[in-house]
């Protein structure tokens, strides 16, 4: 998930649960590396799965890490207030 406009609202107790932003991308890379070792190297997943795992927008790497950070804790409960269909 990411936020259009990079704005979000959260309570302080939720933000305190998050990995510090400076450490987030490194932690995200470690998780993605473990996940990709399980299904990319054995060739059992299709090309779409491989593309998704290499797409920085979807995986939250590079400049997209900051956009994924706010939603990175398992207790997140996002809501969409955008009133137009995507």
């Amino acid at each position: 998930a990411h936020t259009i406009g990079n704005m979000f609202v959260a309570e302080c107790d939720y933000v305190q649960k998050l990995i510090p932003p400076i450490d987030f991308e490194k932690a995200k890379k470690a998780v993605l590396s473990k996940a990709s070792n399980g299904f990319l190297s054995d060739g059992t997943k299709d090309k779409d799965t491989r593309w998704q795992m290499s797409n920085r927008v979807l995986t939250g790497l590079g400049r997209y890490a900051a956009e994924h950070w706010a939603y990175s804790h398992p207790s997140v409960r996002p809501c969409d207030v955008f009133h137009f269909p995507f």
Side-chain angles (χ1 to χ4, degrees):
H2 79 282
T3 304
I4 296 171
N6 296 329
M7 295 176 279
F8 70 96
V9 175
E11 294 188 13
C12 293
D13 63 332
Y14 171 77
V15 175
Q16 289 174 339
K17 297 175 186 177
L18 298 174
I19 295 169
I22 193 87
D23 301 327
F24 178 71
E25 186 172 10
K26 182 178 179 181
K28 184 87 175 212
K29 284 180 180 178
V31 169
L32 290 170
S33 176
K34 288 181 182 180
S36 66
N37 287 338
F39 62 81
L40 293 181
S41 60
D42 65 5
T44 59
K45 296 292 180 179
D46 60 25
K47 65 180 180 176
D48 290 335
T49 302
R50 285 191 284 278
W51 176 82
Q52 290 171 357
M53 288 297 290
S54 67
N55 186 305
R56 290 177 173 259
V57 175
L58 299 176
T59 58
L61 296 177
R63 80 156 195 87
Y64 302 100
E67 296 177 11
H68 283 237
W69 173 77
Y71 301 98
S72 63
H73 195 271
S75 68
V76 69
R77 294 190 179 240
C79 75
D80 192 352
V81 296
F82 191 69
H83 63 283
F84 294 105
F86 287 93

